[in-house]
Amino acid sequence: SAAELDKARKELRESLVSIAPIFAEKPYFMSDEFTIVDCCVTPILWRLPSLGIDLGNHKSVQPLLEYRARLFARDAVRLSLSDQEKEMV
């Protein structure tokens, strides 16, 4: 239902916002190097806009936005996108 979908969107957004500070500590997910965890997180972050989830731009979420930008700037990430994923941006 629409209510369940809205609840799921809200929970995902709140979960991401709540962990945003950890992205200030290291360039990648709790690591100085790009790892498999980043490979798993990237598609989630990429799809957020198409799912109707806006992280906003509050100071508290800034580390997550910077992490997302680092991921999206990687050639390997760009090369891995399908045509459909490229259209999501």
Side-chain angles (χ1 to χ4, degrees), residues 51-75:
L51 296 172
I53 299 172
D54 181 8
L55 295 174
N57 60 3
H58 188 270
K59 184 179 177 183
S60 65
V61 80
Q62 201 60 37
L64 177 57
L65 299 178
E66 291 170 5
Y67 167 71
R68 181 181 69 180
R70 279 191 298 279
L71 293 177
F72 294 177
R74 293 180 64 88
D75 288 340

Side-chain angles (χ1 to χ4, degrees), residues 19-28 30-32 63 70:
I19 65 167
I22 70 166
F23 296 101
E25 298 174 20
K26 300 275 185 174
Y28 296 103
M30 300 176 73
S31 175
D32 289 323
R70 279 191 298 279

